[in-house]
DNA sequence: TATTGTTATACTCTATAACTATA
DNA sequence: TATAGTTATAGAGTATAACAATA
């Protein structure tokens, strides 16, 4: 049995494991901010605009009820604000507060610090290739959140 | 705000998303075999030996009760067999059946087919760099299952 | 007493569907 | 009727702790 005949040597398996690992490490680092990883996705989207809740759900690739729950938590934390629209009172714009902007900035910094730690053992060329490849793959496969 | 100042541009975020995506696609492909991704990790370890259940848990990086549950399912499927050891009757060796070996082989083939589909848009040099980098990262960070 | 494995329980994350209010 | 959002519920996956059998 050659090394390539093992399940665990597949890219699919390894990217799954590394993805879980990276998410777990990120969770540890943002926990002191009162955030979990999924909250950071929300804050990221809200930095770019003030979508309605359903728009947020499709941008993040999660269900509506998950968005409601995350916004409840972020609102309690004081990071976001729901604003009822006057033209159509069913809709609510979601916007960042000043605290939310600060948290988004901090979470972004933590993510990039984690990147440095995760990729510390690779040389610059490898790192550059990896980043390019991941942008291409995210686009290729239509992954949400990016 | 530059592209590098966004949370979603971080490697940590992107590898998390791609890992989830790869795992979901793999789940779809092994479902017809009656397997879920975590079962394939078990089968992979069992190809290399016949560990006791606790050894299996640490090899996979999951809790003991999860191993019990997975083995129940794999045993019902006829893929593995628990063999009580005579020297120490608390322990049970876990071994693959003939069906289990066949399933392990099929799952491995599906994983590598998925690799080809996932990485189809990358050129050979990028793919090689990616594979090398992932082996290095898995080792560096002590990820289980490899 | 310590260890192997099992069971009970609980927690997180997620989706679906029933519901409320507005349109 | 249809849509935005909410709530209720259920399922997958995980871990911890209490437990049984054996050492």
């Amino acid at each position: 049995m050659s090394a390539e005949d093992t399940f665990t040597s597949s890219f699919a398996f390894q990217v799954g494991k590394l993805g879980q690992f990276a998410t777990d490490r990120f969770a540890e680092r943002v926990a002191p901010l009162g955030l979990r990883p999924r909250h950071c996705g929300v804050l990221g989207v809200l930095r770019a605009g003030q979508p309605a809740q359903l728009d947020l759900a499709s941008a993040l690739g999660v269900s509506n009820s998950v968005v409601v729950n995350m916004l409840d938590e972020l609102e309690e934390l004081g990071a976001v604000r729901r604003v009822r629209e006057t033209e159509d009172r069913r809709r609510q714009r979601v916007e960042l507060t000043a605290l939310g902007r600060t948290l988004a900035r901090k979470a972004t910094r933590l993510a990039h610090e984690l990147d440095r730690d995760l990729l510390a053992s690779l040389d610059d060329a490898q790192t550059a290739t990896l980043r390019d490849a991941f942008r291409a793959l995210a686009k290729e496969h239509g992954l949400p959140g990016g």
Side-chain angles (χ1 to χ4, degrees), chain A residues 53 68 71-72 75 80-84 92-94:
Chain A
Q53 292 188 199
V68 171
L71 291 179
D72 287 348
E75 209 166 32
V80 308
R81 194 186 294 127
R82 284 165 160 121
V83 182
R84 184 72 63 179
Q92 305 189 73
R93 262 185 307 114
V94 184

Side-chain angles (χ1 to χ4, degrees), chain A residues 22-146:
Chain A
T23 301
D24 289 348
R25 295 295 80 71
F26 186 64
E28 292 170 356
R29 295 186 187 205
V30 294
L33 302 179
L35 299 174
R36 275 166 292 158
R38 62 188 200 152
H39 297 131
C40 299
V42 176
L43 297 180
V45 173
L46 294 181
R47 280 178 114 179
Q50 298 171 1
Q53 292 188 199
L54 292 182
D55 300 331
L56 199 45
S58 59
L60 293 166
V62 297
S63 75
N64 192 10
S65 58
V66 169
V67 169
V68 171
N69 180 246
M70 290 193 292
L71 291 179
D72 287 348
E73 293 168 341
L74 286 169
E75 209 166 32
E76 179 159 13
L77 198 64
V80 308
R81 194 186 294 127
R82 284 165 160 121
V83 182
R84 184 72 63 179
E85 295 210 11
T86 48
E87 320 90 72
D88 182 345
R89 293 190 43 74
R90 292 173 302 183
R91 312 182 110 243
Q92 305 189 73
R93 262 185 307 114
V94 184
E95 57 186 37
L96 288 180
T97 62
L99 173 61
R101 273 186 293 278
T102 300
L103 288 174
R105 205 159 42 234
K106 286 183 178 176
T108 299
R109 183 155 38 76
L110 290 172
H112 289 287
E113 283 174 14
L114 175 58
D115 279 12
R116 282 207 310 281
D117 296 341
L118 286 175
L119 302 174
S121 64
L122 304 184
D123 63 35
D124 288 352
Q126 282 179 309
T127 301
T129 300
L130 209 61
R131 290 187 179 280
D132 288 348
F134 267 74
R135 289 205 191 90
L137 293 175
K139 188 174 176 188
E140 165 88 3
H141 299 294
L143 302 190

